[in-house]
Amino acid sequence: MLNYYSYPHTTSKEWVTFVHGAGGSSSIWFKQVRDFRKHFNILILDLRGHGDSKPKLKDTFKAKYTFDSITADIVEVIDHLKIEKSHFIGISLGTILIRNLAEKRPEMVKSMIMGGAIIKMNFRSQVLMKLGNIFKSVVPYMLLYKLFAFIIMPKKNHKNSRLLFVNEAKKLYQKEFLRWFKLTSEINPLLRFFRTKDIKIPTLYVMGAEDHLFLPSIKNIVAKHVTSSLFVIENCGHVVNVEQPEMFNNQTIRFISSLRA
């Protein structure tokens, strides 16, 4: 089972589950834990091969990584803790996993908060992925990861986010990185399906105004999906919860609280 940390609240019945992105770990949520613990029960987990969810020998013989298999890892933890329903907060690739979970187990999902969400790969990000696939076996994976981090988070004020993700990615094994990278081959049809289907679960997208790769497509999707709303944080890039934690926490806690009213 995935490594996880749970923080029960003394009176609240509401659960909030945090899902990080590729190359991150549960530690990227450290600026959220203190504020959220005041209001909700919290579940934070390390995805397969990340943080303290270290790959085991038997994982070597498992079927290849898919969005469904990684989503099933998350569901396994939630079922183990006997959590019937949760609000889900994701960042970057974690938002795809949350949306996939909502497709597979909608009865489990009270709401979705999508930070630095990915709903469409634009031309530049498509080229980036294709180059990565070509060079992934010959270029050291950390060099690739640093390049991706710089293209996604290029500005001076994105530096802390870049460093955090690069330092977390250093803890991944090369084979683990390559397995995750292969997920990109199934990302486009999955995202196309998500764009066409409005799942009717309350969804808040929290995006940085400087998230140049992904913000335009989120604006389009919010205009089409009736249960979705968008909050844009100025002077902020892709990793909104790290760059602007106070703003991120205030908006997301307010959103969850409004659903209880």
Side-chain angles (χ1 to χ4, degrees):
M1 191 183 296
L2 299 180
N3 177 65
Y4 67 87
Y5 307 93
S6 61
Y7 303 91
H9 191 276
T10 51
T11 57
S12 177
K13 297 283 194 294
E14 303 284 329
W15 276 92
V16 178
T17 301
F18 291 84
V19 182
H20 66 79
S25 78
S26 56
S27 66
I28 70 149
W29 302 110
F30 73 97
K31 292 184 178 180
Q32 278 65 59
V33 171
R34 188 175 61 184
D35 284 351
F36 275 80
R37 283 182 71 177
K38 295 173 188 173
H39 306 277
F40 314 109
N41 302 286
I42 296 177
L43 173 61
I44 302 175
L45 38 78
D46 290 320
L47 294 174
R48 194 187 294 191
H50 293 69
D52 288 325
S53 292
K54 299 298 182 197
K56 297 179 175 60
L57 184 62
K58 64 184 175 65
D59 295 332
T60 309
F61 305 103
K62 276 187 179 177
K64 72 184 181 78
Y65 281 22
T66 64
F67 281 105
D68 282 354
S69 65
I70 295 166
T71 301
D73 290 345
I74 300 169
V75 171
E76 183 184 22
V77 175
I78 293 168
D79 284 342
H80 171 73
L81 293 172
K82 296 182 169 55
I83 298 169
E84 291 182 9
K85 254 180 157 10
S86 178
H87 304 274
F88 287 84
I89 300 181
I91 197 76
S92 195
L93 184 129
T95 63
I96 302 177
L97 295 171
I98 288 171
R99 178 62 180 80
N100 197 44
L101 193 155
E103 195 61 43
K104 306 294 178 188
R105 297 285 298 272
E107 76 283 357
M108 225 179 221
V109 184
K110 275 196 169 182
S111 73
M112 300 184 289
I113 294 170
M114 313 293 228
I118 301 172
I119 200 72
K120 186 177 183 180
M121 307 293 281
N122 68 7
F123 178 74
R124 196 186 309 182
S125 50
Q126 300 261 24
V127 169
L128 191 62
M129 290 302 176
K130 282 190 171 66
L131 288 173
N133 269 314
I134 292 166
F135 292 112
K136 67 177 184 292
S137 300
V138 290
V139 175
Y141 85 96
M142 278 312 303
L143 199 61
L144 268 182
Y145 198 88
K146 285 177 181 175
L147 174 64
F148 293 163
F150 186 77
I151 290 171
I152 294 169
M153 302 170 264
K155 297 201 171 186
K156 188 183 284 187
N157 56 307
H158 307 163
K159 184 180 178 182
N160 287 340
S161 300
R162 279 200 308 273
L163 288 175
L164 177 66
F165 270 73
V166 166
N167 286 334
E168 285 298 322
K170 284 176 184 173
K171 300 172 189 173
L172 284 177
Y173 297 103
Q174 172 112 7
K175 282 184 180 176
E176 203 68 20
F177 175 83
L178 294 178
R179 284 174 181 162
W180 275 84
F181 201 89
K182 284 174 185 171
L183 276 177
T184 57
S185 64
E186 64 169 290
I187 203 169
N188 280 327
L190 193 63
L191 293 182
R192 196 176 303 120
F193 172 71
F194 292 162
R195 289 196 302 273
T196 56
K197 184 176 179 185
D198 186 353
I199 201 167
K200 304 290 196 304
I201 290 173
T203 305
L204 173 66
Y205 292 95
V206 184
M207 304 293 291
E210 298 167 354
D211 194 351
H212 57 289
L213 284 185
F214 304 115
L215 178 58
S217 56
I218 298 300
K219 287 179 176 176
N220 289 337
I221 214 71
V222 168
K224 294 172 187 169
H225 290 185
V226 293
T227 52
S228 298
S229 55
L230 169 63
F231 183 80
V232 178
I233 302 177
E234 296 301 322
N235 304 311
C236 186
H238 184 60
V239 192
V240 284
N241 67 305
V242 173
E243 286 184 44
Q244 299 277 2
E246 190 175 340
M247 181 78 76
F248 181 87
N249 295 354
N250 289 343
Q251 289 299 321
T252 51
I253 289 171
R254 187 180 302 159
F255 174 73
I256 293 171
S257 299
S258 73
L259 298 174
R260 297 186 294 174

